[in-house]
Amino acid sequence: IPDLERTDVQGLLNHLQDANAVKFQWMKRRIVQMWPKWQAAISSLKNKKDLTKTVQKKVLIHIGLLANENKLHFAEEAGKGGPLGELVQWSDVITSLYILGHDITVTADLAAIQKALGNVVAKKLCPQKLPNDIDLVYVDYIGLRELNSKIGTLLPQFLCKLRVVDSFGTEAQFNFNLYKEKIDGGSMGAYGRYNLNLRQYQTMFPHSPDNTFLGFVVNVKPLENTDKKMRRKAKALVYGKHYSMWKDLPNKTFLEVVNRYLEVHATVGGGSASEVSSHLPSFVINHGVVTPMEVQKLLNESMVFVGLGFPYEGPAPLEAIANGCFFINPKFNPPRSRLNTPFFKNKPTLRLFTSQHPYCEEFIGKPHVYTIDVKNVSEVERVMKEIMLKEVDPYLPFEFTHEGMLERVNALVQHQDFCYQNHWPPLKALITEKGGAGKSCKDVCLAKGMVCEPEFFNSINSRTSLIEHGFPCNTSRLEEVPSLIAPGFRPEPAACIVQTQALMFSCTGTSPSTMRLCPCRKYKKGQVALCVDC
Ligand code: UDP
């Protein structure tokens, strides 16, 4: 039975202990600051859903990126312009699991996780002695690699319990260790090839339906009437908290255009004041890296949040939109990916980034988001003119609220099971769709207002299913192969393709000549990870 009466934040903070106090400092602050909102969210969720019937899980959480603090300096850089998205997500995942009443252990140190897993792991995970009272292990790629290399090959009985927190997503060809074909771009195996169920990779945004959308929570300062007026103070806040994000700006003149309409502010760090300012245009008013609360305040006073093209897919633009800003989202043409961009070179996905923030581009759009070519000065000019005449209401998709996150994490923890039979979402949610040649199932489902649901691939993977949905498979040759585009139909030479390797099922796989049969499902409005009745 989960403990659903956890009202004291200290109980959670006690779980975040490390000899190096700096490691958890930024996360603890976020947790304390958001605590009242978490409390309100769990009360509201309890009113809608009977959580007393849920099962308490024993959950181990290992934050690998903090376990290597001496090398990576994640915690140390948190206040100096270093990446914060991961710390945002870890804080929110930990808090969700705790508030939902689970029995959690949090580690950020190799020796600590070894201890938490029990001696058996040190003895190379002897299967008879697996710590089988542990139900779930949340870890990141860094932590997983370290566990694997320092502790020994991880056994299937343990691997199936993993949930790998993975911002950008992992595709089938990077996960399946026997994938033979050449993959373009950087190296293939930098991220492991652990043969996990792809849904064990849990992402920051709902961009890769093969994986699970885990998400995070967006900070909002409720708008008061006075704040609305202050926004008319006409500030622009630039998205870029480390001077390196400003160094190689393709074209700084677009900021000059913005500055003709609005005062340009920024929160940039990463070095001494003079070092930082040497990389910024002189008209930029720099506040240095500030606390998340101060970011909220600046966003409240700003009319527009301006992207520089980096960092990719962070939390900040959602905060800006939730605080009533327009977001100028730099468009990438050609799209960026591991084929042409060093940042993505070794990432285990071929996903194409058509802008700095694809979620804002695809899921939010106008009136909040302007995805434009910032090198095109006249386009920037046009957008600024338009913005100056407009008002926009704050907007926050439900899935990024505290309650949305609790609802989602609860469903995932209760229903996803990759050790035994996973039957979630239930098959009744399956809607099968035929795709056009060259289309991925991700796109086929999206075009119909649905998402690709990999759980259902197995149910439509047969000659019978292909025939039922109109492919001429009673007269065509049957190809039973491991394939990223199965099940599907290729007209020339006519062949029906059926999957023989479950690890190769892929929502994103395409081939110019093949039409795919796709497992789609509808989703709850504002909560894409969940289907309507499940
Ligand atoms: N942030 C902050 N201080 C600043 C600038 C940003 O605390 O001066 C916060 C911001 O509010 C957000 C988090 O940093 O919650 C992560 O922001 P970003 O989108 O930049 O993602 P990252 O690239 O760090 O993953």
Side-chain angles (χ1 to χ4, degrees):
I1 299 166
D3 176 1
L4 290 161
E5 300 303 327
R6 291 177 170 167
T7 51
D8 183 8
V9 69
Q10 195 54 47
L12 172 52
L13 299 181
N14 290 343
H15 285 281
L16 304 178
Q17 302 289 347
D18 193 276
N20 177 356
V22 176
K23 280 190 190 176
F24 289 122
Q25 203 172 53
W26 195 91
M27 289 169 56
K28 281 182 168 174
R29 254 188 235 139
R30 176 174 172 91
I31 291 168
V32 170
Q33 186 238 316
M34 285 191 163
W35 191 250
K37 294 206 182 140
W38 284 113
Q39 287 299 320
I42 188 75
S43 300
S44 169
L45 186 64
K46 278 197 257 183
N47 285 337
K48 294 175 195 159
K49 202 175 166 60
D50 183 5
L51 295 176
T52 56
K53 301 227 169 65
T54 58
V55 179
Q56 187 190 46
K57 308 270 177 164
K58 193 168 162 65
V59 188
L60 187 58
I61 300 156
H62 179 64
I63 308 176
L65 65 88
L66 292 179
N68 284 283
E69 186 56 19
N70 295 345
K71 257 195 273 165
L72 301 176
H73 311 292
F74 257 95
E76 198 190 309
E77 291 296 316
K80 303 182 192 163
L84 292 175
E86 287 84 352
L87 299 185
V88 164
Q89 193 176 29
W90 276 120
S91 309
D92 298 350
V93 170
I94 292 169
T95 312
S96 299
L97 291 166
Y98 180 76
I99 290 213
L100 288 166
H102 298 293
D103 172 5
I104 65 167
T105 303
V106 184
T107 66
D109 170 81
L110 191 66
I113 189 177
Q114 257 173 285
K115 191 162 157 247
L117 281 171
N119 290 332
V120 284
V121 177
K123 288 182 210 149
K124 297 209 186 294
L125 272 179
C126 168
Q128 308 86 317
K129 290 193 192 164
L130 255 182
N132 56 9
D133 60 330
I134 292 174
D135 297 301
L136 291 170
V137 181
Y138 283 81
V139 66
D140 48 15
Y141 259 126
I142 299 176
L144 179 55
R145 204 160 23 180
E146 202 170 58
L147 277 181
N148 209 36
S149 71
K150 305 235 171 89
I151 289 180
T153 305
L154 303 170
L155 293 174
Q157 299 92 314
F158 180 77
L159 282 172
C160 63
K161 296 181 176 181
L162 291 176
R163 301 293 179 266
V164 183
V165 172
D166 165 25
S167 305
F168 295 103
T170 295
E171 289 182 307
Q173 55 273 54
F174 300 92
N175 172 58
F176 178 42
N177 73 342
L178 296 178
Y179 187 76
K180 291 277 186 333
E181 285 167 49
K182 183 181 175 309
I183 305 179
D184 292 333
S187 71
M188 308 228 289
Y191 281 86
R193 307 204 142 200
Y194 294 98
N195 283 351
L196 301 185
N197 184 309
L198 283 178
R199 277 168 292 156
Q200 288 176 261
Y201 297 101
Q202 315 235 323
T203 59
M204 189 99 176
F205 286 94
H207 45 57
S208 300
D210 290 300
N211 305 143
T212 299
F213 165 50
L214 179 61
F216 61 95
V217 165
V218 169
N219 245 326
V220 204
K221 184 172 180 285
L223 270 186
E224 289 153 20
N225 283 338
T226 48
D227 293 331
K228 278 199 174 166
K229 280 200 209 98
M230 277 168 69
R231 206 145 29 98
R232 285 288 155 203
K233 270 187 176 170
K235 286 182 187 172
L237 185 64
V238 180
Y239 181 20
K241 59 180 148 49
H242 195 281
Y243 70 81
S244 62
M245 298 165 186
W246 296 67
K247 238 173 33 182
D248 310 313
L249 265 187
N251 185 347
K252 280 187 191 142
T253 55
F254 93 87
L255 286 184
E256 285 164 15
V257 177
V258 175
N259 188 51
R260 284 213 288 277
Y261 296 84
L262 299 163
E263 225 174 69
V264 177
H265 290 248
T267 61
V268 195
S272 66
S274 61
E275 194 178 357
V276 171
S277 66
S278 72
H279 294 287
L280 309 185
S282 57
F283 54 80
V284 173
I285 302 164
N286 184 22
H287 301 255
V289 176
V290 298
T291 65
M293 288 300 275
E294 287 166 281
V295 175
Q296 302 307 304
K297 188 163 173 290
L298 279 169
L299 288 171
N300 255 284
E301 296 162 2
S302 299
M303 175 137 22
V304 56
F305 191 57
V306 184
L308 294 173
F310 190 85
Y312 305 117
E313 249 174 10
L318 288 194
E319 292 170 9
I321 295 163
N323 282 290
C325 297
F326 295 97
F327 172 47
I328 293 188
N329 180 28
K331 182 190 266 178
F332 300 149
N333 189 13
R336 296 190 189 169
S337 70
R338 58 181 266 135
L339 304 184
N340 60 12
T341 305
F343 180 86
F344 295 116
K345 194 165 182 253
N346 294 321
K347 298 257 182 293
T349 179
L350 285 162
R351 191 153 67 92
L352 300 177
F353 278 67
T354 49
S355 64
Q356 178 174 3
H357 210 293
Y359 179 86
C360 285
E361 181 183 0
E362 291 160 20
F363 286 77
I364 302 182
K366 277 193 175 176
H368 311 274
V369 180
Y370 286 82
T371 300
I372 57 167
D373 175 8
V374 294
K375 289 200 282 303
N376 181 341
V377 174
S378 55
E379 201 173 351
V380 180
E381 188 90 51
R382 181 184 60 73
V383 165
M384 286 310 298
K385 282 200 177 111
E386 198 175 315
I387 286 175
M388 295 307 290
L389 297 173
K390 275 195 182 168
E391 276 276 355
V392 71
D393 284 328
Y395 174 65
L396 179 61
F398 177 72
E399 57 203 4
F400 288 102
T401 63
H402 294 81
E403 189 177 341
M405 176 124 188
L406 287 176
E407 178 189 45
R408 185 171 61 252
V409 171
N410 178 56
L412 299 177
V413 167
Q414 293 300 317
H415 299 302
Q416 283 191 327
D417 181 350
F418 305 110
C419 291
Y420 303 95
Q421 279 291 323
N422 186 67
H423 288 302
W424 188 80
L427 198 53
K428 65 173 188 208
L430 166 67
I431 298 174
T432 310
E433 291 287 343
K434 252 171 86 173
K439 290 267 180 285
S440 73
C441 285
K442 177 181 173 178
D443 290 341
V444 169
C445 299
L446 261 184
K448 300 261 174 174
M450 297 187 281
V451 282
C452 175
E453 177 48 75
E455 163 67 17
F456 303 145
F457 267 121
N458 227 353
S459 310
I460 61 166
N461 181 45
S462 64
R463 185 178 220 160
T464 328
S465 228
L466 286 161
I467 294 169
E468 262 172 36
H469 293 93
F471 290 115
C473 292
N474 30 11
T475 52
S476 316
R477 196 167 62 87
L478 183 69
E479 265 180 28
E480 292 177 295
V481 285
S483 166
L484 294 170
I485 46 164
F489 174 71
R490 192 180 52 230
E492 279 299 324
C496 289
I497 307 159
V498 167
Q499 184 71 273
T500 53
Q501 173 50 260
L503 289 169
M504 291 279 276
F505 279 127
S506 163
C507 289
T508 57
T510 59
S511 149
S513 55
T514 305
M515 300 160 81
R516 302 196 56 184
L517 191 64
C518 298
C520 307
R521 70 162 165 84
K522 293 184 185 158
Y523 57 87
K524 264 179 96 166
K525 201 169 173 291
Q527 184 69 284
V528 69
L530 306 184
C531 46
V532 182
D533 296 318
C534 30

